[in-house]
């Protein structure tokens, strides 16, 4: 398994921590699924306060913490949030999210590259939430990113992989770079799909947190990524147009 | 005769005191902040008695225990029985379908929306929870307070003396030095006045991130709530929160754009990790806490649980620890 900035993850499932019915359910979803990374949204107002119980609870999960800049619309906001995250969680990791469009929550890739460069120069290890555009991906790598996180579909939409062709192309173009499908996953089959394409991990939040039974859905997602990973490593057969019988028919006696 | 000392005069403390008095116990109340007022988070509540709607994102006890609340409150204050109307913007109709799958006790409405709330504009689909009710939280607190005074319950505007026997601690977040798993969840709300719009029941507008609702308080006054943020800083509302709250009102009827903003409320809800209330007896003190966003909905069940434990030593399901 590829390393993420020198860290080997226990498994390919990264879960967000927003929107669960309660912290107790969040905790159980992590425990029962075994997800190895928790993303945490930092809202500016919370950073100065004392006794941030919720963040302490996330830290006590004992998983890798990937703070994010969710909801940031400008480079300045994202950089400020990243600095706060580093202080609160004592980690260089930052999931860089720069929203460019209100309805699709599509990343603003121009600002994304700029912020990635600033943060990398400042010692951060950046996980950029990007589109499937290959040139943007190149620019992000040039800016110092060692991981890429293209979207599957718009955040929270649960549509699965909207552009399988482009995600395949990205995998083929950057065979050595750890790639994570981030956003748009709704079902375990979507998560499996990403892994079958050779992706290294899947990051999702809404599909689990807003499911009727978040704990069960977290477990299902883990089974999805595991199935997809196993299948990818097992070298699946090629799809073809005509049937290919698994036993030869020539020479067999048959009755009419 | 045993005198029970209730500490804290928010919705939890007043409900517990009221229940104890109703069962014939002798009670005194301590709260250094005095009678109910803006210092307590229950002052800022919505006052919806909406167990069926709340079940969308809460555990089963909220649905079951919350149903006791309507009749309990009707004995002590004015309760308005007009149900709850849940609507969604056209683009959020998947959220309405999801809401309908997760809840019960409603009927789907379309053209009926115009009969229920003629001034709701542009909503073609909704859910009507007819059995739900609402109250005015501030009036409810004052009614409990007056009822206790009328029953001769002494009210001490002081800190409770240490080493009290038969103490019942209902101080919300102030009790966290003892209740270490208690946390604060930030909530923000607005009170607006808009005589141009008439809504006669709580209306919820489904939103992907928070349950936004508007509760009529009469005389053209509405309460708009409420954000839910995992933060323990209650110093101020953010521009984003205010935008979201006002946008919700504006989406329900653009005439809300002319509303006057009367009040901005910010406070922290006391909550345990599963967001359900707890009763704990530690030594001489019974702690009743963690009502979260269900202060008025679950205070009656909490009060009954405390009275059962204090008077009869029976353990309701809310009791999670007893080290008397």
């Amino acid at each position: 398994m590829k390393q993420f900035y020198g860290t080997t993850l226990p498994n390919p499932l990264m879960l967000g921590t927003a929107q669960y019915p309660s912290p107790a359910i969040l905790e159980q979803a992590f425990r029962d699924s075994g997800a190895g990374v928790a993303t945490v949204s930092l809202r500016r107002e919370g950073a100065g306060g004392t006794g941030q119980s919720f963040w302490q609870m996330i830290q006590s999960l004992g998983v890798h913490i990937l703070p994010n800049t969710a909801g940031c619309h400008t480079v300045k906001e994202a950089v400020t949030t990243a600095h706060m995250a580093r202080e609160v969680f004592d980690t260089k990791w930052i999931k860089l999210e720069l929203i460019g469009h209100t309805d699709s929550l599509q990343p603003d890739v121009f600002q994304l590259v700029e912020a990635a460069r600033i943060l990398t120069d400042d010692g951060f290890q950046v996980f950029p939430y990007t589109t499937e555009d290959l040139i943007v991906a190149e620019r992000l790598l040039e800016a110092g990113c060692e991981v890429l996180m293209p979207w599957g579909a718009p955040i929270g939409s649960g549509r699965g992989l909207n552009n399988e062709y482009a995600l395949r192309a990205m995998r083929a173009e950057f065979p050595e770079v750890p790639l994570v499908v981030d956003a748009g996953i709704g079902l375990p089959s979507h998560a499996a799909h990403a892994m079958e394409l050779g992706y290294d991990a899947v990051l999702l939040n809404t599909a689990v947190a807003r499911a009727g039974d978040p704990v069960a859905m977290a477990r299902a997602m883990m089974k999805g990524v595991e199935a997809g990973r196993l299948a990818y490593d097992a070298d699946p057969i090629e799809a073809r147009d005509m049937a290919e019988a698994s036993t030869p028919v020539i020479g067999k006696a048959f009755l009419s | 005769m045993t005198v029970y000392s209730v500490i804290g005069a928010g919705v939890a403390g007043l409900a517990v005191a009221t229940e104890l008095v109703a069962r014939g116990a002798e009670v005194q109340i301590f709260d250094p902040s005095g009678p109910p007022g803006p210092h307590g988070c229950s002052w800022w509540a919505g006052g919806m008695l909406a167990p069926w709607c709340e079940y969308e994102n809460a555990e089963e006890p909220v649905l079951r225990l919350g149903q006791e609340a309507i009749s309990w409150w009707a004995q002590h204050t004015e309760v308005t029985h007009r149900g709850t109307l849940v609507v969604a913007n056209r683009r959020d109709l998947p959220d309405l379908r999801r809401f309908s799958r997760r809840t019960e006790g409603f009927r789907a409405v379309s053209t009926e929306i115009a009969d229920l709330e003629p001034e709701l504009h542009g909503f073609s689909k909704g859910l009507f929870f007819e059995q739900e009710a609402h109250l005015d939280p501030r009036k409810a607190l004052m009614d409990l307070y007056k009822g206790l005074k009328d029953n001769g319950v002494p009210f001490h505007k002081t800190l409770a003396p240490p080493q009290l026997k038969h103490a019942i601690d209902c101080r919300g977040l102030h009790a966290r030095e003892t209740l270490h798993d208690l946390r604060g969840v930030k909530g923000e709300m607005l009170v607006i006045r808009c005589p141009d719009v008439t809504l006669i029941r709580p209306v919820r507008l489904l939103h992907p991130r928070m349950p936004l609702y508007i509760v009529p308080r009469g005389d053209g006054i509405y309460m708009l709530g409420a954000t839910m943020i995992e933060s323990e800083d209650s110093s101020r509302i953010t521009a984003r929160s205010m935008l979201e709250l006002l946008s919700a009102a504006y989406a329900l009827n653009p005439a809300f754009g002319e509303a006057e903003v009367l009040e901005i409320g910010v406070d922290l809800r006391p909550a345990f990790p599963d967001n359900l209330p707890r009763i704990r007896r530690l030594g001489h003190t019974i702690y009743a806490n963690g009502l979260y966003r269900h202060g008025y909905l679950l205070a009656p069940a909490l009060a009954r649980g405390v009275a059962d434990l204090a008077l009869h030593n029976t353990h309701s399901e809310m009791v999670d620890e007893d080290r008397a």
Side-chain angles (χ1 to χ4, degrees):
Chain A
M1 188 174 174
K2 290 193 188 70
Q3 293 196 325
F4 293 77
Y5 292 102
T7 298
T8 305
L9 299 180
N11 58 61
L13 184 60
M14 304 180 173
L15 285 183
T17 54
Q19 299 185 341
Y20 288 78
S22 69
I25 290 177
L26 187 168
E27 204 174 342
Q28 208 191 335
F30 271 86
R31 212 174 33 234
D32 284 17
S33 70
V37 175
T39 64
V40 195
S41 158
L42 248 101
R43 291 194 59 161
R44 182 170 304 220
E45 60 195 306
T50 53
Q52 291 295 329
S53 317
F54 184 72
W55 293 342
Q56 284 165 13
M57 193 276 296
I58 306 274
Q59 280 171 309
S60 72
L61 293 172
V63 300
H64 295 280
I65 292 183
L66 176 57
N68 66 46
T69 63
C72 290
H73 288 73
T74 64
V75 172
K76 191 179 164 194
E77 263 183 296
V79 169
T80 311
T81 308
H83 277 94
M84 282 192 302
R86 186 160 67 179
E87 268 177 46
V88 172
F89 292 108
D90 193 25
T91 175
K92 292 179 186 172
W93 283 12
I94 187 78
K95 177 189 154 184
L96 184 59
E97 190 177 313
L98 262 155
I99 299 304
H101 190 261
T102 324
D103 281 343
S104 66
L105 300 181
Q106 176 167 347
D108 178 333
V109 295
F110 302 95
Q111 294 202 79
L112 182 69
V113 172
E114 191 186 336
R117 184 171 294 120
I118 294 170
L119 290 171
T120 307
D121 288 349
D122 209 358
F124 283 92
Q125 296 174 333
V126 178
F127 292 64
Y129 166 62
T130 181
T131 64
E132 60 281 86
D133 189 292
L134 296 180
I135 309 306
V136 172
E138 274 177 18
R139 295 283 187 276
L140 287 167
L141 297 174
E142 282 166 21
C145 297
E146 295 177 21
V147 174
L148 295 171
M149 305 215 293
W151 62 350
I155 294 171
S157 68
R159 302 182 61 85
L161 309 187
N162 261 353
N163 192 346
E164 181 189 317
Y165 155 76
L167 291 171
R168 274 187 197 281
M170 195 171 214
R171 179 71 286 176
E173 181 72 13
F174 306 107
E176 302 306 323
V177 179
L179 297 181
V180 183
V181 167
D182 177 7
I185 302 293
L187 291 167
S189 53
H190 301 153
H193 190 187
M195 298 304 294
E196 287 162 14
L197 299 182
Y199 275 67
D200 300 288
V202 170
L203 196 167
L204 58 101
N205 185 358
T206 312
V208 164
R210 303 269 286 167
D213 184 342
V215 178
M217 190 58 88
R219 293 177 55 213
M221 288 294 180
M222 180 59 89
K223 290 183 188 294
V225 294
E226 282 173 348
R229 155 68 53 80
L230 273 173
Y232 179 75
D233 290 343
D235 188 13
I237 62 161
E238 295 293 328
R240 57 198 305 141
D241 291 335
M242 291 298 162
E244 185 188 20
S246 50
T247 49
V249 285
I250 297 171
K252 265 195 178 173
F254 58 90
L255 305 168
S256 56
Chain B
M1 190 177 171
T2 304
V3 180
Y4 294 93
S5 299
V6 173
I7 310 169
V11 67
L14 294 176
V16 165
T18 301
E19 183 68 19
L20 286 169
V21 168
R23 297 196 195 183
E26 197 169 328
V27 175
Q28 57 178 344
I29 301 177
F30 293 89
D31 193 325
S33 303
H39 51 268
C41 70
S42 40
W43 190 256
W44 303 103
M48 290 181 297
L49 303 174
W52 290 275
C53 277
E54 287 297 314
Y55 187 44
E56 186 257 340
N57 200 29
E59 306 216 29
E60 183 275 338
V62 173
L63 174 65
R64 183 165 37 85
L65 301 174
Q67 291 178 38
E68 303 172 12
I70 298 176
S71 58
W72 192 92
W73 281 109
Q75 294 166 30
H76 302 288
T77 190
E78 188 185 336
V79 173
T80 309
H81 298 83
R82 288 192 185 139
T84 305
L85 185 59
V86 179
V87 293
N89 286 314
R90 207 162 287 132
R91 58 181 281 172
D92 294 328
L93 286 180
D95 290 326
L96 194 68
R97 288 196 291 273
R98 173 183 185 278
F99 200 92
S100 71
R101 286 201 307 274
R102 304 279 170 78
T103 53
E104 51 190 77
F106 62 84
R107 65 172 189 269
V109 287
S110 50
T111 51
E112 198 186 341
I113 293 174
D115 304 329
L116 291 165
E117 294 290 353
E119 298 199 17
L120 270 188
H121 285 296
F123 293 95
S124 56
K125 284 185 176 160
L127 307 171
F128 183 42
F129 293 77
E130 196 164 10
Q131 303 164 82
E132 295 190 338
H134 68 282
L135 49 73
D136 178 340
R138 297 174 187 181
K139 188 171 182 307
L141 291 175
M142 290 316 292
D143 285 344
L144 291 187
Y145 176 72
K146 282 184 207 138
L148 290 162
K149 288 283 238 189
D150 290 348
N151 272 298
V153 172
F155 192 99
H156 309 288
K157 197 181 166 182
T158 56
L159 288 169
Q163 314 297 331
L164 262 181
K165 286 198 173 170
H166 309 294
I168 301 166
D169 186 318
C170 302
R171 290 180 299 144
L173 220 46
H174 292 287
R176 66 188 307 178
E177 78 268 14
T178 311
L179 308 175
H180 299 295
D181 49 349
L182 202 60
R183 77 187 195 287
V185 180
K186 184 178 184 181
E188 297 150 307
M189 61 81 94
L190 302 173
V191 179
I192 59 174
R193 176 161 53 211
C194 188
D196 299 346
V197 184
T198 305
L199 299 176
I200 61 164
R201 58 174 59 74
V203 176
R204 292 185 181 226
L205 177 65
L206 295 188
H207 178 284
R209 285 189 305 285
M210 63 180 81
L212 292 169
Y213 53 83
I214 186 161
V215 188
R217 293 270 190 261
D219 298 326
I221 295 173
Y222 296 91
M223 181 270 188
L224 269 175
T227 57
M228 306 245 286
I229 301 170
E230 290 287 352
S231 163
E232 297 186 321
D233 179 356
S234 62
S235 50
R236 69 212 172 272
I237 193 171
T238 61
R240 183 193 291 118
S241 295
M242 195 183 267
L243 270 169
E244 300 218 45
L245 293 172
L246 291 174
S247 305
Y250 190 77
L252 292 174
N253 187 324
F256 275 120
E258 299 299 319
E260 299 169 273
V261 178
L262 302 182
E263 286 181 41
I264 299 169
V266 186
D267 217 326
L268 302 178
R269 310 169 177 96
F272 288 107
D274 59 2
N275 294 340
L276 292 173
R278 297 267 195 288
I279 297 168
R280 276 180 199 164
R281 183 156 58 186
L282 306 171
H284 292 299
T285 304
I286 293 174
Y287 291 86
N289 214 317
L291 285 170
Y292 182 51
R293 55 178 274 124
H294 301 126
Y296 292 81
L297 189 60
L298 295 184
L302 184 80
R304 285 182 174 135
V306 169
D308 289 345
L309 183 63
L311 305 178
H312 311 295
N313 208 28
T314 358
H315 293 71
S316 80
E317 63 187 282
M318 283 187 193
V319 179
D320 76 334
E321 200 177 338
D322 190 356
R323 288 190 280 132

